[in-house]
Amino acid sequence: MNKPLLATLAALVVSGAGAVPAVAAPAPAPAPAPAVQAVTFAGTVSLSNCSGSVVRFPASEDDDPAMVMSNGHCLETGFPPAGTVVVDRASSRTFGLLNSAGTRLGTLRASKIAYGTMTDTDVALYQLTTTYAQIKSSYGITALTLNDTRPTAGSAITVVSGYWKRTYACNVDGFAYRLKEGTWTWKDSIRYTSACQTIGGTSGSPVIDNATGKVVAVNNTGNEDGGRCTDNNPCEVSESGTVTVRQGINYAQQTYQIPACFGLDNKLDLSRSGCTLPKP
């Protein structure tokens, strides 16, 4: 995992690109490229040991209790053992809400851990004591939206760490059928290209698709030392069982499957049609 409170510093990677329309005469000019959304720190949060973000689902309403997403391995209760799913557990954890420049605006508080696991994925979702509308009214911050479609290889992405107030820009290099680290196994993980050199404390950072501004994954781990399937050294396992170790490469867990598991009023319902998250 991208361990919390790691003392190693990494260079900040910030990427921004503007497209200049090509002009070809006498042929018509090509259609302009889709506008790229500016990726900022707005809506991200800092935890005591990790990063996170205020998120909403495509069907969420302004008066719904807001949600904060981070990693399952960032839970204040410790790493959930393999096969364990935490649901509706009381929590009063606090989060520092950031604006677009990474300045702390205030403190948000959880009412409960709505969902948390390190099985198949590595995610934690906290329900807050405030609604999206209240956060917007008090701080001018709009929650980040979870995309409910699977990202594609080659997509330009940005990992936004509220803990370090740093961003890491790269692309989706591909997908690991299975990613094994110690006793945990994650499915269909995103592999970054080498430019995203995430470090400890970036765990739980939202991974944002630059083209849409929506969240497509949650940052969680990387192979630090070249170890094979050990703690802090995940390995990729193909469908045929082939093991591949990629030292220095980092990973995230996809989030497109999460919205299907939440219904009216952002209430978790693991029995909903289309919900594939692991159950307790």
Side-chain angles (χ1 to χ4, degrees):
M1 274 71 73
N2 289 133
K3 303 184 296 299
L5 303 178
L6 185 68
T8 305
L9 296 180
L12 171 63
V13 181
V14 179
S15 174
V20 179
V23 177
V36 175
Q37 304 295 311
V39 177
T40 73
F41 293 98
T44 63
V45 299
S46 58
L47 284 67
S48 58
N49 61 345
C50 287
S51 300
S53 56
V54 181
V55 297
R56 64 187 300 148
F57 313 120
S60 293
E61 299 181 346
D62 289 346
D63 61 353
D64 289 341
M67 311 290 289
V68 160
M69 182 177 71
S70 188
N71 282 146
H73 80 256
C74 293
L75 288 171
E76 67 269 36
T77 51
F79 291 10
T84 299
V85 176
V86 177
V87 172
D88 291 335
R89 179 178 295 177
S91 173
S92 58
R93 192 167 194 181
T94 57
F95 313 92
L97 178 66
L98 305 183
N99 67 9
S100 60
T103 302
R104 185 181 176 120
L105 295 174
T107 300
L108 304 176
R109 184 176 296 275
S111 61
K112 66 180 179 179
I113 302 167
Y115 185 88
T117 192
M118 288 178 66
T119 299
D120 293 353
T121 186
D122 183 7
V123 71
L125 289 152
Y126 290 86
Q127 181 175 301
L128 302 185
T129 58
T130 45
T131 66
Y132 297 116
Q134 289 169 331
I135 293 173
K136 177 72 172 179
S137 175
S138 296
Y139 304 109
I141 294 296
T142 300
L144 301 173
T145 299
L146 292 189
N147 202 336
D148 56 4
T149 59
R150 189 175 186 272
T152 58
S155 299
I157 54 174
T158 303
V159 183
V160 187
S161 172
Y163 183 89
W164 289 114
K165 300 176 179 61
R166 298 178 183 175
T167 61
Y168 303 80
C170 60
N171 294 80
V172 175
D173 184 55
F175 304 91
Y177 175 72
R178 297 289 183 267
L179 192 67
K180 290 183 62 66
E181 179 172 342
T183 60
W184 296 279
T185 300
W186 303 307
K187 297 179 177 180
D188 200 22
S189 306
I190 287 178
R191 180 199 316 116
Y192 304 145
T193 52
S194 59
C196 278
Q197 290 296 305
T198 50
I199 60 174
T202 63
S203 287
S205 299
V207 180
I208 298 175
D209 184 296
N210 294 357
T212 65
K214 294 182 179 181
V215 178
V216 295
V218 58
N219 177 69
N220 81 308
T221 194
N223 188 293
E224 297 179 2
D225 308 314
R228 181 184 170 99
C229 314
T230 60
D231 289 353
N232 305 313
N233 289 290
C235 64
E236 297 183 22
V237 183
S238 71
E239 197 165 359
S240 65
T242 302
V243 175
T244 303
V245 173
R246 304 178 192 268
Q247 184 175 359
I249 294 300
N250 296 289
Y251 299 88
Q253 301 308 309
Q254 298 191 63
T255 52
Y256 72 92
Q257 69 275 39
I258 293 175
C261 301
F262 286 82
L264 189 66
D265 299 328
N266 277 359
K267 186 173 182 180
L268 177 71
D269 181 359
L270 296 175
S271 66
R272 293 187 83 219
S273 175
C275 177
T276 60
L277 286 177
K279 299 174 176 57

